[in-house]
Amino acid sequence: MNYAVKRNTWIKEDSAVIFQFHQSMRSFVRAGYFMMLKEKKRIADTQLESASPLVLGLLSEKEYQNPLLVFRKAFKEYSIQEFDYFMSGMVYFSLGAYDHLPERNIVSPYIHLLKMLDAAHLILERKGK
């Protein structure tokens, strides 16, 4: 994301790493979508102790209590295809030096992805207990 919004900069690492990251995030978005459809209430609404603001990160208290809300909100606002478009744009703008910025809002999908990663971590952590 950082490279995508900087003018005339690009990631100098091996492009295969960027492609691998793109494929991983693409798989993550699809897994999150299908998990949200399948799980409905199983993980939802677990009453936990109040979390400190440091633990919450980007998540609200309600999202911390029910991480599936993050996925529901994200997929209510953006489709899988829109997340694909966003991620393709990030790769495109990260791999070359361009003097123009992306034409769409790239911050909102990015924040949704970060929140989904945090929520997925919570879900995995809670399933392990």
Side-chain angles (χ1 to χ4, degrees):
M1 178 71 171
N2 196 21
Y3 284 99
V5 297
K6 285 183 179 179
R7 293 173 188 249
N8 297 318
T9 61
W10 66 91
I11 296 175
K12 294 164 183 70
E13 296 169 18
D14 182 12
S15 57
V17 173
I18 305 335
F19 182 70
Q20 241 178 348
F21 174 76
H22 174 266
Q23 292 300 101
S24 299
M25 290 304 294
R26 198 166 178 256
S27 295
F28 171 73
V29 166
R30 281 160 175 68
Y33 180 77
F34 291 116
M35 178 185 67
M36 176 204 63
L37 291 177
K38 188 177 178 185
E39 293 290 325
K40 291 292 181 201
K41 277 287 195 184
R42 197 173 353 163
I43 304 170
D45 300 325
T46 351
Q47 287 302 318
L48 303 168
E49 295 178 20
S50 262
S52 76
L54 293 176
V55 172
L56 293 176
L58 290 175
L59 302 179
S60 69
E61 182 76 34
K62 204 174 199 179
E63 292 168 338
Y64 180 79
Q65 296 293 330
N66 181 359
L68 283 177
L69 285 177
V70 173
F71 292 92
R72 287 188 195 124
K73 287 179 185 176
F75 292 114
K76 187 176 181 180
E77 192 169 334
Y78 296 98
S79 67
I80 289 176
Q81 292 78 15
E82 288 171 311
F83 277 111
D84 281 349
Y85 180 79
F86 161 74
M87 290 180 290
S88 296
M90 292 302 95
V91 169
Y92 175 80
F93 284 104
S94 298
L95 290 177
Y98 301 96
D99 61 355
H100 60 282
L101 293 173
E103 74 279 0
R104 292 182 132 189
N105 173 9
I106 60 171
V107 175
S108 293
Y110 177 69
I111 290 172
H112 278 298
L113 282 175
L114 290 179
K115 289 176 80 167
M116 285 193 285
L117 288 167
D118 286 347
H121 176 75
L122 283 175
I123 290 168
L124 286 174
E125 190 178 87
R126 291 175 187 169
K127 280 192 177 233
K129 290 182 179 179

